[in-house]
């Protein structure tokens, strides 16, 4: 199941994250943000038209006042000395003022302004922008992409969309720096500097970017580059004493390590990312190590077949399509497990419940939103819809385990999590295909399972002696292009004593 390296564009990465700080990374709610934006544009246009109509009415009021003022002769005291004239003048003025008050009260601005706080809840804030940047950096690390590759053309799955401008590149650089991702911070800062040198307009200045890049180059051990950037900064402001101080310091350090630098190869910045050691998880996500521990002989033994779940009556006339994904431990995929109609129902039920995935802070004991777990999750019980009951029964029929002690069905959108043990078995149901990324990988095994809409994957988390099977440690790769919906059914060990008998030996 080899895969090609997984690449996409900057904008598609941005579009996998969304609406607010609680769940900025859900594709489902990103779609909701698009519709919210369209609705807001429509209401904004309506407000502008109403304001234009209101301004026309105010202009009419102004003309009335100007007309009254124009009727007053050069000698106003003599003019209003006539009681009848004074009466008519006061009456006109009062009438005009009442009309003005009525028109002023008709201003549509109050309703629009009152509605803004509610509407603002559906639009991103500063934390959301930061969250999107962090998600982008995570994708970049996993798939070994530098900014130039993410901006350019000629890459698989790249869509021709607007690349980041200098301000956006600099913001991503600052977020990387906050998370101690020095190399990525430098690369994005370098990208911003390159665009400024090309003459692109931006709020951020070249001086700010150079101030940012110079110490980063020094931190990475790139002394010649740090000196070059500092000298360039000094040209912009020759009287900046802090820059002079840094330049002197860098020069002294450069002299003290000159001999060492001459004997050591210097890695080029544009190749550092490709040369860094990456763990098996990232290699599997890129499709570079799938099946690395599967021998050809074992691979040939994997097969596809129709299964009745060990002779289950409900499957005798409608067997399930079963495929071996791995042999030891056994990982099995069941095709056509869910219908499109069932998937739509489960999505509909979960949308109102979806929230940002949480992790437990070991020090405080509080649950916090995780930067790594970028899914949204929801739990569905059988009482909510007959479809949930059917799904649970179908799992029981196929795998032969008791569902009485199983956990509720958990839904996740754009999921990314790692879990091991704690339950006797896991059923993972894919409810969407994913264009790029999103595989479920088992780093110890070297296995990578690609999402296939409607299919379900099953494996045991515990060995027959009750110990956790570390080989089933698994994680979801970031979704690069597309949206990922999965459902998990975790099955507890209690109640399975006669369905999966225990053994003394550590066997699958």
């Amino acid at each position: 199941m080899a895969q090609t390296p997984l690449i996409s564009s900057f904008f598609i990465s941005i579009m996998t994250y969304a609406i607010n700080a609680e769940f900025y990374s859900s594709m489902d709610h990103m779609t909701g943000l698009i519709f919210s934006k369209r609705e807001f544009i429509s209401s904004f246009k309506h407000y502008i038209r109403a304001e234009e109509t209101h301004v026309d009415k105010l202009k009419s009021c102004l003309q009335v006042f100007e007309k009254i003022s124009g009727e007053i002769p050069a000698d106003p005291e003599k003019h209003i000395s006539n009681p009848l004239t004074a009466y008519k003048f006061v009456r006109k003025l009062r009438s005009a003022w009442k009309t003005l008050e009525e028109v002023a009260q008709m201003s549509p601005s109050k309703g629009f302004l009152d509605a803004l706080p509610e509407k603002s809840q559906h639009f991103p804030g500063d934390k959301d922008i930061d969250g999107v940047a962090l998600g982008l950096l995570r994708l970049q690390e996993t798939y070994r992409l530098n900014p130039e590759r993410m901006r350019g053309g000629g890459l698989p799955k790249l869509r021709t969309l607007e690349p980041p401008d200098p301000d956006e590149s600099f913001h991503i650089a600052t977020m990387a720096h906050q998370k101690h991702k020095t190399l990525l911070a430098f690369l994005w800062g370098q990208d911003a500097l390159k665009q400024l040198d090309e003459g692109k307009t931006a709020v951020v200045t070249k001086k700010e970017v150079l101030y940012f890049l110079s110490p980063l180059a020094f931190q990475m051990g790139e002394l010649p580059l740090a000196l070059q950037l500092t000298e360039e900064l000094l040209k912009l402001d020759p009287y900046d004493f802090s820059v002079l101080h840094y330049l002197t310091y860098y020069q002294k350090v450069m002299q003290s390590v000159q001999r060492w630098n001459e004997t050591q190869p210097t890695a080029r910045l544009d190749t550092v990312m490709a040369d860094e050691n990456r763990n098996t998880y990232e290699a599997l996500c890129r499709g570079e190590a799938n099946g690395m521990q599967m021998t050809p002989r074992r691979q040939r033994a994997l097969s596809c077949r129709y299964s009745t779940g060990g002779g289950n009556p409900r499957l005798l006339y409608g067997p399930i399509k079963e495929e071996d994904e791995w042999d030891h431990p056994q990982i099995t995929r069941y095709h056509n497990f869910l219908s499109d109609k069932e998937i739509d129902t489960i999505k509909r039920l979960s949308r109102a419940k979806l929230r940002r995935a949480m992790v437990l802070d070991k020090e405080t004991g509080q649950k916090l939103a995780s930067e790594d777990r970028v899914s949204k999750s929801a739990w569905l019980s059988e009482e909510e819809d007959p479809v949930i009951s059917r799904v649970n029964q179908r799992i029981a029929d196929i795998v032969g385990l008791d569902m009485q002690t199983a956990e509720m069905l958990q839904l996740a959108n754009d999921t990314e999590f790692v879990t091991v043990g704690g339950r006797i078995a896991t059923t993972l149901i894919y409810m969407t295909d994913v264009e790029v990324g999103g595989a479920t990988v088992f780093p110890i095994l070297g296995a990578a399972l690609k999402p296939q809409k409607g299919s379900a994957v099953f494996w045991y988390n515990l060995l027959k002696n009750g110990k956790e099977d570390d080989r089933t440690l698994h994680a979801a790769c970031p979704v690069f292009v597309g949206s990922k919906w999965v459902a998990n059914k975790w099955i507890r060990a209690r109640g399975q004593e006669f369905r999966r008998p225990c053994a003394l030996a550590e066997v699958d």
Side-chain angles (χ1 to χ4, degrees):
M1 300 181 183
Q3 297 175 341
T4 58
L6 307 176
I7 313 263
S8 182
S9 71
F10 170 85
F11 192 76
I12 290 299
S13 302
I14 290 294
M15 292 298 287
T16 43
Y17 298 89
I19 298 182
N20 60 39
E22 183 184 6
F23 45 74
Y24 57 75
S25 41
S26 167
M27 176 64 79
D28 184 56
H29 280 80
M30 189 63 210
T31 305
L33 177 58
I34 293 173
F35 286 111
S36 295
K37 185 186 73 171
R38 291 174 180 171
E39 179 184 351
F40 175 74
I41 290 173
S42 177
S43 63
F44 196 14
K45 288 180 178 178
H46 177 74
Y47 164 68
I48 291 174
R49 287 193 295 268
E51 279 285 20
E52 289 171 344
T53 302
H54 184 243
V55 169
D56 289 340
K57 292 180 179 179
L58 289 174
K59 287 180 179 179
S60 298
C61 292
L62 176 61
Q63 290 173 357
V64 172
F65 279 102
E66 288 176 338
K67 182 180 180 181
I68 295 172
S69 177
E71 293 174 349
I72 299 175
D75 188 353
E77 185 176 350
K78 182 180 179 180
H79 178 71
I80 62 171
S81 63
N82 184 322
L84 186 58
T85 303
Y87 170 78
K88 290 176 66 66
F89 172 74
V90 172
R91 184 178 175 83
K92 285 181 181 179
L93 200 59
R94 176 56 183 164
S95 176
W97 183 256
K98 285 180 64 177
T99 303
L100 175 60
E101 285 184 326
E102 292 174 359
V103 172
Q105 290 295 325
M106 294 166 57
S107 172
S109 61
K110 186 179 185 304
F112 182 76
L113 294 174
D114 289 345
L116 279 183
E118 190 276 330
K119 291 182 181 295
S120 68
Q121 297 177 14
H122 302 287
F123 282 81
D126 291 339
K127 289 184 178 180
D128 305 308
I129 300 173
D130 293 344
V132 172
L134 291 175
L136 173 62
L137 291 167
R138 180 169 162 269
L139 289 169
Q140 189 179 358
E141 282 186 311
T142 301
Y143 296 111
R144 293 185 180 181
L145 300 173
N146 58 35
E148 192 65 30
R149 294 187 70 196
M150 299 183 81
R151 295 171 58 85
L155 295 174
K157 303 294 183 181
L158 186 68
R159 299 179 180 181
T160 307
L161 293 168
E162 184 179 359
D165 59 32
D167 292 317
E168 292 166 339
S169 292
F170 188 67
H171 173 254
I172 297 170
T174 57
M175 291 305 303
H177 187 240
Q178 288 181 23
K179 296 301 177 181
H180 310 292
K181 302 178 186 296
T182 306
L183 177 63
L184 293 180
F186 186 86
L187 290 173
W188 279 107
Q190 201 176 42
D191 184 73
L193 181 63
K194 180 181 177 182
Q195 293 188 68
L196 291 173
D197 287 338
E198 291 172 352
K200 293 187 178 179
T201 57
V203 175
V204 68
T205 64
K206 184 175 181 179
K207 183 177 180 180
E208 289 177 289
V209 177
L210 287 171
Y211 252 118
F212 178 81
L213 288 174
S214 177
L216 284 180
F218 179 76
Q219 290 174 30
M220 294 189 302
E222 295 287 342
L223 283 173
L225 185 56
L227 278 169
Q228 176 189 331
L229 294 169
T230 308
E231 289 170 352
E232 193 172 348
L233 186 58
L234 196 60
K235 291 178 182 178
L236 296 176
D237 189 355
Y239 301 103
D240 191 325
F241 292 104
S242 62
V243 176
L244 285 168
H245 170 76
Y246 279 117
L247 182 61
T248 303
Y249 176 72
Y250 293 159
Q251 287 172 339
K252 288 181 179 179
V253 175
M254 185 72 173
Q255 291 170 4
S256 66
V257 297
Q258 187 69 41
R259 181 174 296 179
W260 184 88
N261 278 344
E262 290 174 355
T263 59
Q264 298 294 323
T266 302
R268 290 178 54 190
L269 282 174
D270 58 357
T271 60
V272 168
M273 289 190 71
D275 294 337
E276 287 183 339
N277 292 326
R278 302 291 182 176
N279 59 29
T280 305
Y281 161 74
E282 292 176 339
L284 287 166
C285 287
R286 294 190 298 271
E288 298 172 0
N290 191 11
M292 60 183 179
Q293 298 184 29
M294 176 71 76
T295 64
R297 182 176 181 180
R298 288 169 59 193
Q299 184 73 42
R300 289 194 297 270
L302 301 179
S303 62
C304 301
R305 56 199 164 271
Y306 283 98
S307 171
T308 61
N312 189 288
R314 277 183 284 268
L315 295 175
L316 288 176
Y317 293 101
I320 190 82
K321 296 178 181 178
E322 183 179 272
E323 178 185 2
D324 295 329
E325 289 282 2
W326 206 261
D327 54 355
H328 299 293
Q330 181 71 33
I331 302 176
T332 307
R333 187 189 295 267
Y334 298 97
H335 295 276
N336 302 326
F337 181 83
L338 287 183
S339 67
D340 288 346
K341 186 176 181 180
E342 288 173 325
I343 289 173
D344 291 340
T345 299
I346 294 172
K347 283 185 179 181
R348 175 179 55 79
L349 293 171
S350 65
R351 278 192 172 96
K353 296 185 173 187
L354 286 173
R355 59 183 178 84
R356 184 79 189 278
M358 309 293 282
V359 294
L360 187 67
D361 188 315
K362 294 181 180 179
E363 295 184 1
T364 64
Q366 295 180 336
K367 287 188 175 182
L368 303 173
S370 169
E371 292 174 5
D372 293 323
R373 297 182 61 175
V374 295
S375 68
K376 293 181 59 188
S377 58
W379 299 84
L380 299 179
S381 64
E382 292 188 352
E383 290 74 22
E384 297 185 57
D385 195 278
V387 168
I388 308 302
S389 299
R390 291 203 301 269
V391 170
N392 290 338
Q393 185 61 57
R394 195 172 301 154
I395 294 172
D397 293 343
I398 292 172
V399 305
L401 294 177
D402 192 336
M403 295 291 113
Q404 293 300 313
T405 60
E407 298 177 27
M408 289 190 294
L409 194 68
Q410 186 202 36
L411 274 292
N413 177 223
D414 294 337
T415 185
E416 164 55 30
F417 57 90
V418 178
T419 183
V420 60
R423 295 101 171 175
I424 190 174
T426 296
T427 302
L428 179 63
I429 306 169
Y430 297 109
M431 298 194 295
T432 54
D433 295 314
V434 178
E435 190 174 349
V436 181
T440 304
V441 300
F442 296 77
I444 296 176
L445 297 176
L449 311 183
K450 187 176 181 180
Q452 293 181 16
K453 184 178 180 181
S455 70
V457 178
F458 175 84
W459 66 85
Y460 283 104
N461 298 313
L462 301 181
L463 299 168
K464 285 193 174 182
N465 64 355
K467 291 185 177 180
E468 291 183 353
D469 190 346
D470 293 336
R471 298 171 299 174
T472 62
L473 174 73
H474 63 284
C477 299
V479 174
F480 219 105
V481 181
S483 177
K484 182 180 178 182
W485 282 79
V486 296
N488 293 293
K489 188 69 176 180
W490 285 307
I491 305 169
R492 293 288 180 180
R494 187 164 62 89
Q496 316 300 339
E497 295 83 358
F498 298 103
R499 294 174 182 260
R500 193 195 189 215
C502 298
L504 297 178
E506 292 189 1
V507 295
D508 297 349

